Amino acid sequence: MSRTPAAQAPQRLAAIDLGSNSFHLLVANRLGDHLQVVAKQGEKVQLAAGLGDDDHLDEPAIQRALECLARFAPFVEGIPADAMRVVGTNALRAAHNSRDFIERAEAVLGHEIEIIAGREEARLIYLGAAHALADIHGRRLIVDIGGGSTEFIIGERFAPEALESLHMGCVAYTRRFFPDDQITEKRFRQAELAALSELANIRRHYLALGWSDPIGSSGTIKAAASVIAAAGDAPEGTITREGLARLRKRLIKCKHLDRVEMAGLKADRARVFPAGIAILCATFEAFELEHMRFADGALREGVLYDLIGRNTAEDPRLPALNGLTRRYGVDHRQAANVAASAASAFDQVSDAWQLGETLRPFLLWAAELHEIGLAVSHSQFHRHGAYLLENADLPGFSRPEQQLLAFLVRAHRRKFALKELEALPPAYRPRAARLARLLRLAVVLNHSRPEHPPTTFQLQAEGDALLMMLPDALAEQSLLLTDLEQEIAYQRAVGFRLAVDPLTLEI
């Protein structure tokens, strides 16, 4: 009797959101394009409260964070690296010693941590919230008040049209406007006015775009909806202008952060709640809102849905990079030729160098973009290209990924960019150096801008040493051999070994 084959085990995914106020863990099984939640945890760490005037995280905040991550670690044990993302937001963007914290945190989790830019955070929040909502046609405004920043997104279905991350959050505003824990009308209004000043930069554009469905996500807005509903001022999950105004008055009557206690409000959120409500009041005022509903989907959900879409036709990184090639007038044939040679080089040494398939796209993207700096100037165009990539808004990329891409473009010619290599996160450096060496060879092979890319060369790796063997058609090109002699010298100057047959220079 034949047996029915066992159903394929669902893919397990994990996301950890290192927020400025709270850390969140989400573990889920992927069932097609849907997620089945396996574990969900959240803890108030208040990382932003540990940021001093010198923008350094203090040791107590770091210890709170590490202890929280130690509790999260068992939930993600055994999940492959490519099925998990750990993302840091505003507090880690602002902290000058974030790298020190990240190294300690990675040791606890056993997984790399990425700091994401504000607009990338907004994109992921939108993705998470949009999946939690009914598929209603029309534009949505999504607002997410965090501990150190607040994100504002307008979009339709799963496509964001406007993304902003503003420097205002419930933890940061608590420190700024309620430093001695006193709540007064004057201080509350000062917090609102500061938020209105931030919102002034986006108000006109957002109102012009318009929306039919204002949505709030994450802790502050969830708590506001719960408190307003508990008071009977609006239906469950809804915030009204009138209900928000009455909540504002109740908070001011508390007079002190330690006395903030209301039905529907968790005790661990009470101290930062007034500052969060001040930001929410300013949002209602700036955008002339009458109501807002809460959606139970935010950054961590967005990270998981983004993982599902990576390396598919829906990968947001692809249109972002295609937009750069169009904007800066990249020579498509030359870019494709360098990418083809780079792909051949990668495939020949990836096993020996243990590069892994997740790095292959970065090498090919760098090959396709290595000349974008020519749009600025031919002189030092590798530097200009690196600057453009490091500072552009690139949806789908974390900061370390964007740094890696910028480094590869910076290092593709002339003297090897050791200073820029050392600026990368330590975990990226060995692989980044190897990718850069492959890209440099691909660029040299295509220096004469041939009609077709050279791909028939042979490349071997032993340790950090590379041996390139040229076919007769390439070995007869004196310009190429001269370029390769110079490349050998460039790599030897920084301790890398390269040999080329038929050249007689030794490794």
Side-chain angles (χ1 to χ4, degrees):
M1 185 174 70
S2 63
R3 291 185 177 181
T4 302
Q8 185 177 0
Q11 182 186 17
R12 182 150 294 186
L13 305 172
I16 297 178
D17 158 20
L18 309 182
S20 301
N21 186 40
S22 304
F23 283 10
H24 292 278
L25 161 77
L26 182 62
V27 181
N29 288 333
R30 177 183 178 181
L31 303 173
D33 292 331
H34 301 284
L35 298 175
Q36 180 187 61
V37 175
V38 174
K40 197 172 185 177
Q41 299 284 331
E43 292 191 22
K44 296 288 185 298
V45 174
Q46 294 200 336
L47 199 61
L51 272 176
D53 293 336
D54 60 353
D55 284 332
H56 278 71
L57 287 171
D58 61 26
E59 189 59 28
I62 291 174
Q63 284 301 320
R64 290 195 302 271
L66 295 178
E67 289 166 7
C68 173
L69 293 178
R71 290 187 285 274
F72 285 177
F75 291 95
V76 299
E77 189 173 348
I79 296 179
D82 61 356
M84 176 176 168
R85 287 184 74 189
V86 186
V87 298
T89 59
N90 186 265
L92 291 177
R93 288 196 290 268
H96 293 328
N97 59 336
S98 61
R99 177 168 292 178
D100 296 334
F101 164 75
I102 285 173
E103 289 178 5
R104 295 168 67 180
E106 287 178 340
V108 172
L109 278 178
H111 194 279
E112 292 180 3
I113 294 172
E114 315 165 31
I115 300 177
I116 54 175
R119 287 184 176 174
E120 175 63 2
E121 181 181 356
R123 185 188 70 83
L124 292 171
I125 287 168
Y126 180 82
L127 193 59
H131 275 92
L133 295 166
D135 189 12
I136 299 171
H137 294 291
R139 286 198 182 105
R140 303 183 178 112
L141 167 70
I142 291 181
V143 180
D144 187 299
I145 300 172
S149 64
T150 299
E151 282 65 48
F152 298 88
I153 313 99
I154 292 178
E156 188 168 358
R157 299 194 67 191
F158 301 118
E161 298 179 35
L163 298 162
E164 283 296 344
S165 179
L166 302 183
H167 295 290
M168 54 188 193
C170 60
V171 177
Y173 268 35
T174 298
R175 292 181 59 199
R176 181 176 171 186
F177 296 103
F178 308 102
D180 58 0
D181 297 351
Q182 301 296 318
I183 309 172
T184 65
E185 169 66 36
K186 181 179 179 181
R187 292 184 181 187
F188 208 100
R189 188 56 182 165
Q190 285 175 335
E192 290 173 330
L193 289 172
L196 285 167
S197 177
E198 292 283 341
L199 285 160
N201 294 316
I202 67 171
R203 179 179 180 273
R204 185 185 297 275
H205 175 54
Y206 273 52
L207 287 173
L209 280 175
W211 56 84
S212 57
D213 194 11
I215 303 292
S217 65
S218 292
T220 290
I221 294 175
K222 181 179 182 180
S226 296
V227 171
I228 289 171
D233 290 332
E236 188 71 36
T238 302
I239 299 169
T240 62
R241 178 183 284 268
E242 295 78 9
L244 186 60
R246 282 192 283 271
L247 173 56
R248 182 185 187 278
K249 290 179 180 179
R250 290 171 63 195
L251 286 170
I252 293 172
K253 284 182 179 179
C254 291
K255 295 184 179 180
H256 198 279
L257 295 182
D258 289 338
R259 297 176 195 154
V260 175
E261 186 176 343
M262 299 175 178
L265 179 64
K266 293 180 180 179
D268 60 1
R269 180 166 291 277
R271 289 184 60 82
V272 298
F273 192 53
I277 294 302
I279 294 170
L280 185 56
C281 288
T283 300
F284 266 67
E285 185 176 340
F287 293 141
E288 303 168 11
L289 300 178
E290 293 299 325
H291 62 88
M292 174 182 288
R293 64 189 179 105
F294 172 73
D296 193 14
L299 178 59
R300 53 199 173 275
E301 287 83 6
V303 169
L304 290 191
Y305 281 109
D306 192 60
L307 269 176
I308 292 173
R310 283 201 162 195
N311 301 314
T312 70
E314 297 179 2
D315 192 331
R317 296 175 296 181
L318 302 180
L321 297 178
N322 288 338
L324 286 180
T325 62
R326 289 193 301 271
R327 185 183 313 166
Y328 296 110
V330 168
D331 180 337
H332 292 289
R333 190 186 73 179
Q334 178 68 2
N337 284 354
V338 173
S341 297
S344 178
F346 183 94
D347 293 341
Q348 293 182 62
V349 301
S350 60
D351 288 341
W353 270 1
Q354 298 182 328
L355 292 175
E357 277 300 305
T358 57
L359 288 174
R360 194 174 193 272
F362 287 89
L363 176 62
L364 302 189
W365 292 334
E368 291 165 359
L369 294 166
H370 75 283
E371 289 188 336
I372 65 169
L374 288 172
V376 178
S377 171
H378 186 273
S379 175
Q380 302 291 312
F381 72 85
H382 52 307
R383 293 178 182 268
H384 300 314
Y387 178 86
L388 293 172
L389 284 169
E390 189 163 0
N391 292 280
D393 283 324
L394 296 181
F397 286 90
S398 66
R399 279 191 173 184
E401 290 175 339
Q402 206 161 329
Q403 278 183 284
L404 172 60
L405 198 56
F407 163 74
L408 293 175
V409 170
R410 169 64 181 84
H412 86 266
R413 66 194 289 263
R414 303 286 177 86
K415 293 180 180 179
F416 199 90
L418 274 184
K419 180 181 177 182
E420 288 78 4
L421 178 65
E422 291 168 358
L424 292 174
Y428 278 65
R429 292 172 196 166
R431 292 170 294 174
R434 288 176 169 180
L435 290 177
R437 294 174 69 190
L438 299 182
L439 178 60
R440 292 173 70 92
L441 290 175
V443 170
V444 169
L445 287 168
N446 289 277
H447 185 194
S448 63
R449 309 182 90 83
E451 187 73 24
H452 302 290
T455 57
T456 56
F457 59 90
Q458 295 180 38
L459 199 61
Q460 297 177 2
E462 184 176 343
D464 266 334
L466 276 176
L467 171 62
M468 172 177 272
M469 290 163 283
L470 300 177
D472 291 343
L474 295 179
E476 294 170 0
Q477 296 181 19
S478 57
L479 175 60
L480 174 59
L481 296 181
T482 300
D483 286 343
L484 285 169
E485 285 180 349
Q486 178 63 72
E487 182 58 27
I488 291 170
Y490 279 141
Q491 296 204 23
R492 186 172 54 202
V494 291
F496 296 141
R497 295 181 297 165
L498 171 65
V500 178
D501 182 10
L503 296 177
T504 57
L505 291 175
E506 296 181 356
I507 290 181

